Amino acid sequence: GRLSGGQGFAWTQRAAAVGWADSQVDVGDALQQAGDHAAAWDIYRAAAAQRHPAGLHRVGVCHLRGLGVPPDQVAAREHLEASARLGWADAQFALGQSGLAGDGEAEKEAWLHAASAQGHPAAANALAVAASMAGRHEEARELLSVAAHRGHRKAMMNLSMYLRQGVGGPADPASADEWAAR
């Protein structure tokens, strides 16, 4: 086939062919990485038709970015919201970061909080940036700490700066050095 990956991937392809949604998403991801956006779109749609949260998310992203299908903001929002309402943190983050949120900043922030509550490090970092821009530096520092502990590289650097300069709390140069070195 077009994709490599050995016997394990062959089984994944078979499972996708018989309608296993998790496998359909995996095969779609491999197709997407290989640059076959049209084929990825087709298989993501099959997973989305089963109301699979990752499949719905991937279809929404395809609509958003025009991957395998013409860009369509309305369809992107519909699919991302369906996925987000099923609790898919990546879809919640996408809605929080995009201009698709219908009620503006309040809705975007609500989606970011939902994603962050599930452990999405980029969502915690995005909330930290918003809090910092609003002058809520203690909240920003706390959110940066959450995102940094979850492995978000930008949050680690930002937390290091906050700790070094004493933003949002006392200065802690030793901890700042530790975060900068990670």
Side-chain angles (χ1 to χ4, degrees):
R2 297 180 282 188
L3 304 171
S4 61
Q7 181 105 12
F9 192 74
W11 282 107
T12 302
Q13 288 177 303
R14 287 186 194 111
V18 298
W20 191 267
D22 286 336
S23 294
Q24 289 170 329
V25 171
D26 290 343
V27 170
D29 288 348
L31 290 165
Q32 200 74 274
Q33 287 180 343
D36 193 344
H37 303 300
W41 161 251
D42 286 336
I43 200 157
Y44 288 150
R45 279 189 357 193
Q50 297 177 60
R51 308 299 297 160
H52 188 277
L56 289 161
H57 169 251
R58 301 302 198 285
V59 167
V61 170
C62 286
H63 278 299
L64 187 64
R65 297 184 182 156
L67 300 171
V69 62
D72 182 339
Q73 300 291 308
V74 173
R77 179 185 166 122
E78 289 172 2
H79 285 89
L80 289 171
E81 279 187 352
S83 176
R85 291 191 196 301
L86 290 171
W88 196 253
D90 287 339
Q92 294 166 341
F93 176 69
L95 286 167
Q97 286 294 100
S98 72
L100 298 176
D103 293 332
E105 293 304 312
E107 184 176 346
K108 287 170 63 173
E109 190 171 330
W111 285 122
L112 288 173
H113 278 289
S116 179
Q118 292 192 72
H120 199 288
N125 187 65
L127 288 167
V129 169
S132 179
M133 292 176 65
R136 300 187 317 266
H137 298 295
E138 288 179 19
E139 177 185 349
R141 183 169 168 160
E142 184 177 318
L143 287 162
L144 286 172
S145 180
V146 167
H149 280 96
R150 292 176 183 164
H152 195 275
R153 295 280 178 209
K154 287 183 181 177
M156 290 177 192
M157 294 309 297
N158 288 337
L159 179 59
S160 174
M161 180 199 65
Y162 267 54
L163 290 166
R164 185 167 318 289
Q165 297 176 5
V167 178
D172 185 348
S175 292
D177 290 343
E178 288 177 26
W179 281 111
R182 289 185 186 200

